[in-house]
């Protein structure tokens, strides 16, 4: 474990991390949070000068994908700098300590930082039977209540802790619930995704350290700056959608030409996340760019919304049509998708998606 009384500046110096890398991290974080560039020095100052906040990371019914995402162990990235800005006092996967020693470290961190520490949770909480998931002989629900009691805020990393995720899928054999169904008296920020984008996770923590508050949230408790728009509105394949050019199978000519994946089940129109902009692996790519439709993993109940490969709504097909008619069909469908998605977001709903019928228009199909 890292010594808790160090500032980040001292810590970076000790680790030999250059100031240039640190300032790059601060500038990137400011832009991700949609803050003007002038905020980068403020973030740097806050991270450097303040005592690093204690963070207790609890893992319940999860696959460790969320931790893997933020760690990027294979190629330490700029996002991993956040671990220099916090005092990670408890993380079952990362900590060297085990057994009673690990639990003692958690209790000590809680006592020393009462009312000020952050709790990060990945995984859902099983209520069906306390014995379904335990750590050090204590059920997840008891640990969560105990640790959240003295916390300043709770950050739910990943769809499992935010909305229940895969363990919550029907028939939900463990009686899994999201954190918000148990903790109701603390600020909670949901950072869904399966797993979440590393830069989103680190930016939320950096915002808290810099401003002492959580970023503005939407109706589902997600930071608006990252979850305020759907994938579809920022997808680079959108022009194909507008023109009515849809891949019909994963290996047809349309797919090879990069056409829209709507008919192959893409859930981009109803999914709010920043994947299309931030991407993965240091901005290299994201699922749609790799040729697979969005699964909708940052939305509640994404596992129970039917086949990942069924279109959200099937456009009326009137034969091959003309290019002009295809443009019209795509435009009508596209406008409807965007409108419906935004209305659902305004209402805090996430589905089912229903595009308006496409009338009097053919589609330019891949043949
Ligand atoms: S949200 Fe996804 S990556 Fe995270 S714990 Fe759940 S299943 Fe794993
Ligand atoms: S339906 Fe999917 S692939 Fe097509 S434009 Fe929308 S997000 Fe992109």
């Amino acid at each position: 474990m890292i010594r808790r009384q160090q500032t980040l500046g001292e810590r970076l110096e000790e680790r030999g991390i250059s100031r240039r890398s640190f300032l790059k991290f601060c500038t990137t974080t400011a832009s991700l949070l949609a803050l003007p560039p002038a905020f980068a020095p403020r973030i740097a100052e806050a991270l450097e000068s303040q005592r690093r906040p204690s963070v207790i990371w609890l893992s319940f019914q999860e696959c460790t994908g969320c931790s893997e995402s933020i760690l990027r162990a294979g190629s330490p990235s700029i996002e991993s700098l956040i671990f220099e800005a916090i005092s990670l006092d408890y993380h079952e996967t990362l900590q060297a300590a085990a057994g009673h020693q690990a639990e003692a470290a958690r209790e000590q961190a809680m006592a020393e930082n009462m009312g000020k520490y952050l709790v990060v949770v990945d995984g859902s909480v099983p209520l069906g039977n306390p014995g379904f998931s335990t750590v050090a002989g204590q059920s997840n629900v008891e640990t969560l209540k105990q640790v959240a009691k003295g916390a300043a805020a709770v950050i739910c990393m990943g769809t499992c802790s935010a909305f229940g995720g895969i363990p919550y899928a029907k028939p939900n054999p463990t009686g899994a619930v999201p954190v918000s169904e148990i903790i109701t008296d603390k600020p909670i920020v949901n950072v869904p995704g399966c797993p979440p984008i590393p830069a989103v996770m680190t930016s939320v923590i950096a915002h808290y350290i810099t401003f002492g508050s959580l970023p503005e949230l939407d109706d589902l408790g997600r930071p608006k700056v990252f979850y305020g728009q759907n994938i579809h509105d920022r997808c680079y394949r959108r022009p194909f959608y507008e023109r009515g050019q849809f891949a019909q199978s994963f290996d047809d000519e349309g797919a090879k030409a990069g056409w829209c994946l709507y008919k192959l089940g893409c859930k981009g129109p109803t999914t709010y996340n920043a994947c299309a902009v931030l991407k993965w692996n240091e901005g290299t790519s994201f699922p749609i760019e790799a040729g697979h439709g969005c699964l909708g993993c940052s939305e509640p109940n994404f596992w129970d919304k039917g086949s990942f490969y069924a279109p959200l709504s099937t456009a009326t097909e009137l034969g091959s049509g003309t290019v002009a008619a295809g443009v019209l069909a795509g435009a009508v469908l596209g406008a409807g998708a965007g409108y419906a998605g935004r209305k659902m977001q305004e209402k805090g709903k996430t589905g089912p998606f229903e595009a308006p019928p496409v009338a009097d228009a053919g589609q330019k199909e891949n043949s």
Side-chain angles (χ1 to χ4, degrees):
M1 288 286 139
I2 297 165
R3 278 180 286 130
R4 283 189 292 280
Q5 295 310 312
Q6 284 178 307
T7 63
L8 175 63
E10 293 161 351
R11 176 77 184 152
L12 292 174
E13 196 177 332
E14 185 181 284
R15 292 282 304 273
I17 294 171
S18 72
R19 182 150 185 84
R20 183 188 170 94
S21 296
F22 173 62
L23 292 177
K24 187 177 171 194
F25 171 77
C26 296
T27 305
T28 306
T29 301
S31 83
L32 291 177
L33 289 167
L35 297 170
F39 271 85
R42 184 167 166 191
I43 292 173
E45 190 186 337
L47 295 182
E48 272 186 313
S49 59
Q50 291 179 19
R51 296 288 164 202
R52 292 176 302 118
S54 173
V55 174
I56 296 175
W57 188 305
L58 302 174
S59 298
F60 298 143
Q61 291 195 128
E62 47 83 36
C63 69
T64 314
C66 296
S67 290
E68 285 289 339
S69 180
I70 199 170
L71 275 174
R72 299 289 319 284
S75 166
S77 65
I78 197 161
E79 288 92 2
S80 64
L81 260 178
I82 199 68
F83 283 111
E84 310 298 337
I86 61 173
S87 176
L88 188 59
D89 291 324
Y90 184 86
H91 189 303
E92 288 154 23
T93 312
L94 300 179
Q95 64 200 3
H100 294 303
Q101 196 186 12
E103 298 311 307
R106 172 171 66 79
E107 283 162 18
Q108 185 186 349
M110 288 164 56
E112 289 178 0
N113 302 284
M114 189 55 68
K116 292 185 283 190
Y117 60 84
L118 287 175
V119 179
V120 177
V121 182
D122 64 341
S124 61
V125 186
L127 295 185
N129 181 327
F132 281 151
S133 181
T134 64
V135 175
Q138 189 171 49
S139 70
N140 290 167
V141 64
E142 283 311 312
T143 303
L144 176 61
K145 285 179 182 172
Q146 187 186 85
V147 177
K149 200 171 180 182
V154 180
I155 301 174
C156 296
M157 288 294 186
T159 300
C160 293
S161 54
F163 303 136
I166 293 171
Y168 188 76
K170 292 172 184 165
N172 190 356
T174 64
V177 296
V179 167
S180 58
E181 285 197 21
I182 296 167
I183 305 302
T184 54
D185 59 350
K186 294 285 175 184
I188 293 180
V189 56
N190 288 329
V191 185
C194 195
I197 300 168
V200 175
M201 297 197 259
T202 56
S203 296
V204 169
I205 294 175
H207 187 285
Y208 184 81
I209 295 172
T210 305
F211 302 105
S213 64
L214 299 171
E216 190 184 0
L217 307 178
D218 69 6
D219 290 347
L220 294 174
R222 305 175 294 194
K224 274 187 179 172
V225 68
F226 297 112
Y227 297 89
Q229 281 183 280
N230 63 34
I231 306 286
H232 186 64
D233 281 349
R234 296 185 280 186
C235 179
Y236 76 102
R237 295 192 191 226
R238 181 66 179 263
F240 294 107
Y241 181 94
E242 303 292 353
R243 290 197 293 269
Q245 293 176 308
F246 301 103
Q248 306 291 324
S249 70
F250 285 108
D251 58 355
D252 68 6
E253 290 307 312
K256 288 174 191 164
W259 287 6
C260 173
L261 302 170
Y262 183 88
K263 289 195 170 184
L264 296 176
C266 181
K267 305 297 185 284
T270 54
T271 303
Y272 288 78
N273 206 341
C275 313
V277 179
L278 298 182
K279 303 185 180 178
W280 297 84
N281 299 320
E282 296 176 16
T284 304
S285 185
F286 74 115
I288 290 172
E289 197 169 341
H292 196 285
C294 167
L295 300 181
C297 76
S298 58
E299 297 296 327
N301 306 314
F302 83 100
W303 203 260
D304 287 326
K305 288 180 176 170
S307 168
F308 289 145
Y309 301 100
L312 287 163
S313 176
T314 305
T316 305
E317 299 192 32
L318 299 175
S320 57
T322 63
V323 174
V327 170
L328 179 59
V332 171
L333 191 56
Y339 176 76
R342 278 189 289 276
K343 292 313 282 182
M344 280 190 289
Q345 175 74 351
E346 282 166 18
K347 292 177 188 166
K349 293 179 182 170
T350 54
F353 174 78
E354 286 178 25
V358 179
D360 301 326
Q363 271 182 272
K364 186 177 187 301
E365 297 288 3
N366 170 40
S367 57

